């Protein structure tokens, strides 16, 4: 009976050690995968922020260009209106 108890105790200790090693290996594997995911997320975040920054910059230039073209068209329209009613050149030349 003592021999059986000793044998079972040794088998249990062996099983516990194997289980501990398996758990440690799994924990290390999980830690490595989490570190890899964190690195990938940081890269993705940086790339996304750069893309948003570039799109924002493009939108600002596009908006500025639109208003510049609009201002030029309005100025030309007023200039042609003044030229159509150009009756007294000496007085009206300063308007143009």
């Amino acid at each position: 009976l003592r021999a059986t108890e000793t044998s079972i105790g040794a088998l249990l200790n062996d099983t516990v050690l194997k289980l501990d090693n398996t758990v440690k290996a799994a924990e290390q594997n999980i830690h490595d995968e989490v570190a890899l995911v964190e690195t990938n997320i940081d890269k993705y975040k940086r790339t996304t922020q750069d893309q948003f920054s570039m799109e924002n910059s493009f939108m600002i230039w596009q908006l500025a260009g639109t208003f510049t073209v609009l201002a030029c068209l309005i100025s030309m329209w007023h200039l042609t209106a003044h030229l159509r009613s150009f009756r007294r050149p000496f007085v009206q030349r300063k308007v143009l």
Side-chain angles (χ1 to χ4, degrees):
L1 190 58
R2 284 261 193 235
T4 306
E5 286 179 5
T6 308
S7 170
I8 291 175
L11 284 173
L12 283 176
N13 284 338
D14 231 14
T15 305
V16 169
L17 289 175
K18 286 180 184 177
L19 188 59
D20 283 343
N21 289 336
T22 305
V23 168
K24 285 179 185 177
E27 285 176 347
Q28 184 61 39
N29 190 16
I30 290 170
H31 176 70
D32 292 342
E33 288 181 11
V34 167
L36 179 65
V37 168
E38 286 176 350
T39 303
N40 288 340
I41 286 176
D42 288 340
K43 287 179 186 176
Y44 177 75
K45 238 172 43 175
R46 233 176 288 122
T47 303
T48 305
Q49 287 173 348
D50 291 343
Q51 287 174 347
F52 281 139
S53 175
M54 287 172 38
E55 286 178 12
N56 189 25
S57 178
F58 178 73
M59 185 178 67
I60 289 170
W61 282 105
Q62 190 176 19
L63 190 62
T66 301
F67 282 112
T68 301
V69 168
L70 184 65
C72 288
L73 290 173
I74 290 172
S75 295
M76 285 185 200
W77 181 70
H78 279 290
L79 185 70
T80 56
H82 281 293
L83 285 174
R84 279 191 298 249
S85 62
F86 198 64
R87 307 281 184 256
R88 298 175 58 200
F90 186 73
V91 176
Q92 291 176 319
R93 69 178 177 195
K94 294 179 183 175
V95 173
L96 297 177

